[in-house]
């Protein structure tokens, strides 16, 4: 058999594995997405034998899967899997051949039964190939960079993909410094979690952590909210306002959606960063503050600078150190552990967490392998936030049932992305800007009522995502919402309705927005008016 290597992917046409450095050595691996014993999701088998032209056999009894970074492992050990192995072998083109032979293991590839033998190209391995074994265990065949040593401190982040490990390494590098940090990533990717990890591992950990979403603050009030205001400084200012900067004194101020800052706020932010002083609105005496600023954005700030919407000096000050949070679609090996992490939280609240760890080894897995494969193949435009919401829906719909139940609406939502590859195409290299599709621009008058409502629902009531989906500006979308008889705004919600939903959703803003069918930003503003502190913002 000819010798095959899996190194230096930058020399071939196949995209680099998302999260790994360009030119890093890669090795094929199998990662457990779903298993009848749910805690095993995320365990991995490195197929290092393939890199030296050796075949690897896989059966019920061997070889061992281990948690990344651990030396202890165990075989798949499901009683419905055959003791007779299937065989994985290297191919001359740098791919992997999966051979059933006389194995009694039934294999489905992305939901299609495998007959005899199937070769997977390097491009397919880079994207990730979901495998179902005897409708019991779901695996992902993919490429991982080596070495795969895992951090002993997970920093509150679930997953061991290369992208997540890179984020952990970046946090460890910068946490004990006083530098401002800019966190980039798509909406719902977990940017606030990164900001909290930086704070908790910094010398400021005993100080306050203040989180502010600039996109949820009316622009005319943003300066007063951030920097404080004196009584009478503007209409409605009946008392002195401290402001978020002074509230975060001695700690960390996290500014989410910093790309939404108005020109006035940008100037004030730049001054505060450069001098450590701020002027409250209506004040003439500078106030010294000791705050570490961590900002986040899903916007292309460089493009905003070219358009004159964002100040270049502010970007340079904010991005003294930059961390990029990978989208969920580029860390598919983490989807199983993440989903089951959220599902366990919901099942514990219902007193049904035992369903994930059945005592009977022959019991059906709570997460069917077919559903696990569907989760892995989905594009996840809403990233982790969307995954958490799907986990909650499945748990609620499956109360008292032995397996997760998918209704037709959710099944349609989880349709795999149609691409020439087996799964979705790999994401770009981490050094590039996150790809942002450019929709065809349309007139707001071309958007019908049904299309408007469908776009809002498909975007989980994220106005920015819905506007992008429809190809119109956010301002136009807000106008359509105001004029639509089928769409409510947060202003139309009664206090009783908001309080009841807040209790039922345990303060989760995303779940509330889905249930009440209003925009997330407007709902945040309404919660603030009613004095409610959300946990999902």
């Amino acid at each position: 058999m000819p010798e095959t290597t899996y190194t230096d992917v930058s020399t071939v046409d196949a995209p680099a594995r998302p999260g790994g450095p360009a030119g890093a050595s890669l090795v094929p691996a199998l990662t457990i997405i779903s298993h009848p014993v749910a805690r095993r999701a995320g365990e991995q088998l490195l197929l290092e034998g393939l890199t030296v032209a050796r075949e690897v056999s896989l059966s019920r009894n061997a070889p061992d899967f281990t948690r990344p970074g651990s030396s202890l492992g165990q075989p798949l050990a499901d009683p419905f899997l055959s003791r007779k192995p299937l065989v994985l072998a290297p191919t001359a083109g740098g791919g992997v051949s999966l051979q059933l032979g006389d194995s009694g293991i039934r294999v489905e590839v992305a939901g299609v039964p495998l007959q005899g033998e199937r070769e997977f190209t390097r491009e397919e391995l880079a994207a990730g190939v979901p495998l179902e074994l005897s409708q019991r265990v779901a695996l992902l065949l993919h490429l991982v960079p080596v070495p795969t040593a895992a951090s002993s401190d997970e920093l509150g982040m679930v997953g061991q993909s290369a992208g997540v490990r890179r984020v952990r390494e970046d946090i460890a590098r910068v946490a004990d410094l006083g530098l401002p940090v800019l966190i980039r990533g798509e909406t719902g990717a977990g940017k606030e979690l990164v900001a909290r990890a930086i704070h908790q591992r910094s010398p400021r950990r005993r100080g306050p952590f203040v989180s502010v979403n600039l996109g949820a603050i009316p622009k005319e009030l943003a300066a007063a909210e951030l920097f404080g205001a004196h009584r009478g400084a503007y209409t409605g200012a009946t008392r002195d306002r401290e402001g978020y900067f002074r509230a975060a004194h001695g700690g960390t101020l996290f500014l989410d959606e910093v790309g939404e800052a108005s020109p006035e706020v940008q100037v004030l932010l730049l001054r505060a960063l450069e001098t450590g002083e701020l002027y409250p609105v209506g004040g003439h005496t500078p106030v010294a503050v000791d705050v570490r600023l961590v900002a986040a954005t899903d916007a292309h700030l460089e493009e905003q600078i070219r358009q004159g919407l964002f100040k270049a000096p502010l970007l340079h000050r904010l991005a003294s150190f930059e961390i990029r949070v990978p989208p969920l679609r580029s860390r598919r090996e983490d989807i199983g552990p993440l989903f089951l992490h959220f599902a366990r939280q919901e099942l514990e609240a219902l007193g049904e967490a035992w369903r994930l760890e059945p005592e009977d080894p022959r019991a059906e897995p709570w997460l069917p392998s077919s559903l696990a494969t569907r989760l892995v193949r989905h594009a996840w435009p809403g990233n982790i936030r969307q995954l958490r919401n799907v986990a909650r829906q499945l748990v609620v719909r499956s109360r008292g049932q032995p397996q997760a139940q998918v209704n037709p609406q959710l099944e349609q939502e989880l349709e795999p992305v149609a691409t020439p590859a087996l799964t979705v195409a790999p994401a770009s290299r981490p050094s590039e800007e996150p790809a942002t599709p450019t929709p065809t621009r349309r007139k707001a008058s071309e958007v019908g009522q049904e299309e408007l409502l469908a776009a809002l629902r498909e975007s989980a009531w994220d106005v920015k995502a819905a506007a992008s989906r429809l190809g119109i500006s956010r301002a136009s979308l807000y106008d359509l919402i105001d004029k639509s008889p089928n769409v409510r705004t947060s202003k139309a919600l009664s206090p009783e309705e908001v309080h009841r939903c807040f209790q039922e959703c345990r303060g989760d803003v995303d779940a509330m927005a889905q249930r009440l069918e209003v925009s997330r930003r407007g709902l945040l503003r309404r919660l603030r008016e009613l004095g409610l502190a959300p946990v999902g913002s």
Side-chain angles (χ1 to χ4, degrees), residues 451-493:
E451 185 181 8
L452 169 65
L453 190 58
L456 286 167
R457 285 172 172 164
E458 290 167 2
S459 303
W461 295 89
D462 183 316
V463 173
K464 184 176 182 180
S468 177
R469 186 184 293 270
L470 292 170
I472 60 177
S473 67
R474 271 190 283 180
S476 298
L477 183 59
Y478 279 120
D479 289 340
L480 288 176
I481 290 174
D482 290 338
K483 296 174 183 177
S484 173
N486 299 326
V487 181
R488 291 195 301 175
T489 64
S490 59
K491 297 177 182 177
L493 300 174

Side-chain angles (χ1 to χ4, degrees), residues 413-443:
E413 178 185 335
L414 294 176
E415 277 297 306
V417 173
T419 66
L422 185 68
T423 60
V424 251
S428 59
R429 298 179 188 270
S431 60
E432 298 174 347
E433 279 294 316
T436 303
T438 304
T440 304
R441 303 308 296 175
R442 304 170 60 192
K443 295 180 179 179

Side-chain angles (χ1 to χ4, degrees), residues 11-143:
T11 62
V12 296
D13 293 335
R17 174 68 184 161
S25 297
L26 299 179
V27 61
L30 287 169
T31 298
I32 298 177
I33 306 168
S34 174
H35 189 279
V37 180
R39 66 175 178 273
R40 299 203 56 189
E43 292 181 9
Q44 197 170 87
L45 170 66
L46 294 182
L47 304 174
E48 295 174 292
L50 300 183
T51 65
V52 291
R54 290 204 308 264
E55 295 180 344
V56 176
S57 298
L58 178 67
S59 71
R60 177 205 304 181
N61 298 327
D64 288 349
F65 284 71
T66 62
R67 190 73 54 183
S70 172
S71 59
L72 300 176
Q74 57 182 318
L76 290 175
D78 185 83
F80 286 88
L81 299 182
S82 173
R83 294 185 180 89
K84 295 182 179 180
L86 53 83
V87 175
L88 297 112
T91 65
V96 172
S97 170
L98 178 59
Q99 305 162 8
L100 290 185
D102 61 351
S103 171
I105 301 176
R106 176 182 175 182
V107 179
E108 294 185 20
V109 180
V112 179
L114 175 66
Q115 302 292 334
E117 180 179 350
R118 168 73 185 271
E119 289 190 5
F120 301 105
T121 66
R122 193 182 187 89
E123 290 80 5
E124 289 174 323
L125 296 179
V129 180
L131 305 173
E132 296 175 49
L133 307 186
S134 300
Q135 298 183 325
R136 299 273 298 179
V137 176
L139 304 175
L140 185 70
L141 175 61
H142 59 123
L143 299 176

